[in-house]
Amino acid sequence: GRVRLRLSSKGFDKSAVMDSINAQIDKLIPQISDVFVGFEEDSSMEQIIGNQLIKREQTLAVAESCTGGGIGAQCTANPGASRYFKGGVIAYDTKIKTEVLGVDDKLITRHSVVSLEVAKAMALGVQNLFGSDYAIATTGNAGPDKGDSDAEVGTVCIAIATPKNVFAQQFTFGKHRVRITTKAVNMALTLLQKEIF
């Protein structure tokens, strides 16, 4: 779900080698600035997001279906997460989406449980439930069966609710269950990271 770029070089003069690599990094960063998250040795994406939310005195909540708590686990793996992470709902069952998050049954009937509309409603529902500034919601089909939706296996809808609006995007992440959920977690965090920076 993430791409790692590694630049390497050989030489006898460590200072010259490092200067050469740093010069290449300076050339590379402008070309990937729209997707660049940071240097691996500095911070993880979750830490970068957390630090930014703490700096802005803002909070995050999550509503997860197909990711099964993976986003919340990634966030809370870092010390100090309680300063920005309010909590989450694992709305795996369709009834939890309606009864806990307040997603309208008619919306699910009209658009399917795996849809942009339902993802947005989930994000707004958990944002309201926890009183957070931002919210992430995921709904999708990780397989091997289609479950409550007609969506193809690998289809994932991710929504981000902000203090001003809500948006959602649909993705296709292949057929392998674990990879689907891992890619969905990473993409959800990437979408949030782009929104808060």
Side-chain angles (χ1 to χ4, degrees):
R2 295 181 186 170
V3 175
R4 177 183 298 140
L5 297 176
R6 184 174 76 183
L7 303 182
S8 59
S9 181
K10 292 182 180 180
F12 295 103
D13 183 344
K14 183 177 180 179
S15 178
V17 169
M18 291 308 298
D19 287 346
S20 175
I21 286 183
N22 287 332
Q24 295 304 314
I25 289 171
D26 290 342
K27 290 179 186 177
L28 179 63
I29 295 296
Q31 296 178 50
I32 60 170
S33 61
D34 60 327
V35 293
F36 180 70
V37 175
F39 294 100
E40 195 171 51
E41 66 272 10
D42 294 341
S43 296
S44 67
M45 188 183 316
E46 302 78 45
Q47 289 171 314
I48 292 167
I49 289 168
N51 291 340
Q52 180 70 354
L53 289 173
I54 290 167
K55 181 180 172 183
R56 292 165 59 160
E57 297 182 348
Q58 292 179 315
T59 56
L60 171 67
V62 295
E64 302 187 60
S65 183
C66 63
T67 49
I71 299 167
Q74 292 275 95
C75 292
T76 58
N78 298 301
S82 60
R83 293 174 62 193
Y84 75 92
F85 187 74
K86 286 216 166 186
V89 174
I90 301 174
Y92 207 69
D93 188 285
T94 301
K95 284 185 179 179
I96 302 304
K97 292 174 179 71
T98 58
E99 294 174 7
V100 177
L101 297 176
V103 178
D104 191 334
D105 283 319
K106 293 175 185 173
L107 195 68
I108 293 172
T109 303
R110 190 177 318 122
H111 298 285
S112 169
V113 72
V114 178
S115 65
L116 298 173
E117 292 79 8
V118 169
K120 288 193 277 189
M122 289 172 64
L124 291 170
V126 80
Q127 183 184 42
N128 183 57
L129 184 66
F130 284 91
S132 63
D133 297 291
Y134 289 89
I136 299 173
T138 61
T139 181
N141 188 346
D145 302 316
K146 288 190 174 183
D148 291 350
S149 172
D150 290 332
E152 292 299 320
V153 172
T155 303
V156 177
C157 296
I158 301 171
I160 306 291
T162 76
K164 295 181 180 178
N165 62 11
V166 61
F167 67 91
Q169 292 184 37
Q170 182 172 306
F171 302 90
T172 303
F173 291 133
K175 303 287 183 191
H176 188 275
R177 185 176 178 84
V178 174
R179 288 187 193 136
I180 292 166
T181 56
T182 301
K183 288 178 180 181
V185 168
N186 289 332
M187 183 54 71
L189 291 168
T190 299
L191 291 175
L192 177 63
Q193 185 261 339
K194 286 182 178 180
E195 189 61 31
I196 65 174
F197 280 89

